[in-house]
Amino acid sequence: MKKPAVNSKALRQGGYLAAVTAAVVALVVLVNLVMGQLPSNVTEFDLTDNSLYEITDTSRDFLASLEQDVEIVVLAEEDATDERILKFLDRYTALSDHLSLTYVDPVAHPDQASQYDAQSDSLIVRCEATGKSETISYSDIITYSYTSYFSMTEDAFDAEGQLTSAVNYVTSDADRTVYTVTGHGEEDLSSVITDAIDKANLNLDSVSPLFNGSVPEDCDLLIVNGPATDLSADELTILQDYLAGGGQMIFLAGDTLDSLPNWEALLESRGFDLVDGYIADLSNYYVQFGSPFVIRGVLNTGSSVASGVDSDALTYLENTRGFLSLEDTEEAAWTITEFLSTTSDALAVTADGTQTSGTYLLGAVSEGDDGGRMTVIGSTSFLDGTLLSQNPSLANQTLFVNALTAGFDDVSNLSIPSKSLAVTYNTIQNPGLWSTAYIIVLPIGILLCGFLFWLKRRKL
């Protein structure tokens, strides 16, 4: 029986295709193996709500200038760390050759874990050059709140803010203390602001000038947050002497139109005239609140306090007081730099309805020839914790922390707000006519277009 002839050409083509297929499969396997070894910051894109893994220019610039080696130790059981934290650590440490990442399992290696003197499920940031270390609990990175008696929900993701603050702390020798003034009905600082102060690595305490009889020697800056009652004559002298000796103060006007002559005298000694009445701005207010007294300040980005803030950034002040700049006197000289003001369409409205038009300062800094520095802000609403938490895009917090740190050569504003983990819904605020448009006009319009199209096709 005659054997069938072998088609050598087809055989060669089949062998060639098999070799190409094998080579492609091997290449795909090799690429997968290589990609699997790359960190997540190279292989993954941040498509999360609120860009959880996006790192701000503040941290990038800080890490680019880092000169000391810093080790970040992940102290947790293997596979017990939230994947979001691990991904962020990969992206964060990739920004500087001076950052290293070490994983220690306290269960598998208890002796190694014991040297860190920290609880499990935490990050230890340490710098051998300074001998300083900082511990960050996972509960400080992903925060929760109770939604009911038995359940909790995630609030915020604060990896960048906590890490940048910790790296700054362990590599810096700065030690500054900020005091809040008490004894005149001042408002407490919200947790949002105290957390921001802590992230800036500033110590926070309180003092009553009347009770203590002086300003503490370690005080680097005083915060006066909305006094409701006046200073005594002795307190006025204490605070004037403090500023004349090169002290620093931030003063936020309280939500009152009562006369406080000694506080006003203190402001005047630094070049500020507190205007009577609340400020309304007819050209720059939030229409949705229905009141021209809920205003957006005009930013002066040339000021050091507004450093890093876009000129079109939003700020919020409600029932704010305004200031005018006084001229220098023979006894005192100062330089005043505004960072927040009204438009020329602003009105100062008193309790009896008197309206005085003008352009007013809402936030400004006075630097005296004696070294004293006073920052004024028109309203305590500027630091409202609920408002800042619900509206993280507002520049209020950044401006305030800038004001805290601008007068220090060894402290920078590295206080970075957390990112919300709250579920966002695609809803329309203050719907009004929009509801009518979506519920009635739009459906009727679609039906009418469909009917006309059907009628045209029927005639063809």
Side-chain angles (χ1 to χ4, degrees), residues 196-231:
I197 293 173
D198 184 59
K199 286 183 187 178
N201 293 314
L202 296 170
N203 305 312
L204 183 63
D205 208 336
S206 61
V207 62
S208 169
L210 181 62
F211 181 77
N212 293 83
S214 65
V215 175
E217 291 185 2
D218 66 341
C219 177
D220 294 297
L221 185 144
L222 286 172
I223 299 175
V224 181
N225 190 36
T229 60
D230 204 9
L231 287 169

Side-chain angles (χ1 to χ4, degrees), residues 326-368:
L326 298 173
E327 296 182 0
D328 293 351
T329 65
E330 294 182 1
E331 296 80 17
W334 46 72
T335 300
I336 292 181
T337 306
E338 68 180 62
F339 60 87
L340 208 59
S341 65
T342 67
T343 69
S344 58
D345 292 328
L347 299 171
V349 184
T350 62
D352 62 6
T354 302
Q355 301 180 4
T356 306
S357 61
T359 302
Y360 301 102
L361 302 178
L362 302 175
V365 180
S366 169
E367 296 176 279

Side-chain angles (χ1 to χ4, degrees), residues 23-298:
V24 170
V25 170
L27 181 61
V28 170
V29 172
L30 179 62
V31 169
N32 281 332
L33 289 174
V34 172
M35 294 297 290
Q37 299 302 311
L38 294 176
S40 60
N41 64 291
V42 175
T43 60
E44 298 180 2
F45 295 98
D46 186 1
L47 301 178
T48 59
D49 290 342
N50 298 328
S51 301
L52 292 186
Y53 309 118
E54 182 179 330
I55 300 174
T56 64
D57 290 338
T58 300
S59 290
R60 290 178 181 274
D61 294 342
F62 168 67
L63 295 177
S65 63
L66 194 63
E67 297 179 350
Q68 296 160 314
D69 291 336
V70 175
E71 181 186 22
I72 301 175
V73 180
V74 181
L75 188 63
E77 293 183 47
E78 187 176 359
D79 301 327
T81 301
D82 192 294
E83 189 68 21
R84 292 168 293 185
I85 297 176
L86 297 178
K87 288 182 180 181
F88 188 87
L89 285 171
D90 284 341
R91 290 172 179 264
Y92 193 84
T93 54
L95 295 176
S96 174
D97 293 335
H98 290 285
L99 291 178
S100 62
L101 194 57
T102 304
Y103 292 88
V104 176
D105 188 332
V107 175
H109 306 284
D111 292 339
Q112 185 180 358
S114 63
Q115 66 177 299
Y116 296 106
D117 190 26
Q119 297 292 324
S120 183
D121 295 334
S122 60
L123 305 178
I124 298 94
V125 181
R126 62 181 191 170
C127 176
E128 185 177 352
T130 63
K132 298 170 71 174
S133 68
E134 180 84 343
T135 300
I136 306 170
S137 171
Y138 284 1
S139 61
D140 292 328
I141 297 175
I142 300 177
T143 61
Y144 294 81
S145 65
Y146 285 95
T147 55
S148 65
Y149 188 74
F150 296 105
S151 64
M152 294 190 302
T153 185
E154 293 180 342
D155 275 338
F157 184 73
D158 196 21
E160 182 184 359
Q162 295 291 338
L163 280 168
T164 298
S165 175
V167 174
N168 180 42
Y169 169 74
V170 301
T171 58
S172 172
D173 294 326
D175 185 20
R176 299 286 188 173
T177 302
V178 173
Y179 281 82
T180 57
V181 174
T182 62
H184 316 90
E186 290 89 353
E187 297 182 25
D188 292 333
L189 296 175
S190 68
S191 60
V192 174
I193 296 301
T194 56
D195 288 347
I197 293 173
D198 184 59
K199 286 183 187 178
N201 293 314
L202 296 170
N203 305 312
L204 183 63
D205 208 336
S206 61
V207 62
S208 169
L210 181 62
F211 181 77
N212 293 83
S214 65
V215 175
E217 291 185 2
D218 66 341
C219 177
D220 294 297
L221 185 144
L222 286 172
I223 299 175
V224 181
N225 190 36
T229 60
D230 204 9
L231 287 169
S232 67
D234 289 341
E235 288 177 302
L236 174 60
T237 300
I238 290 171
L239 296 183
Q240 285 178 330
D241 290 345
Y242 167 73
L243 290 169
Q248 300 189 46
M249 177 185 291
I250 296 180
F251 177 91
L252 295 97
D255 189 4
T256 177
L257 294 180
D258 294 341
S259 177
L260 305 175
N262 284 336
W263 280 117
E264 293 171 18
L266 180 65
L267 294 170
E268 289 174 2
S269 70
R270 291 288 127 182
F272 294 112
D273 178 21
L274 182 64
V275 176
D276 291 336
Y278 292 129
I279 303 300
D281 196 331
L282 304 182
S283 297
N284 211 25
Y285 69 96
Y286 289 92
V287 179
Q288 65 268 35
F289 293 105
S291 170
F293 293 97
V294 182
I295 65 178
R296 169 192 178 185
V298 178

Side-chain angles (χ1 to χ4, degrees), residues 428 433-450:
I428 299 174
L433 293 176
W434 287 105
S435 295
T436 303
Y438 282 113
I439 296 173
I440 300 175
V441 177
L442 187 60
I444 291 177
I446 293 173
L447 288 173
L448 182 60
C449 290

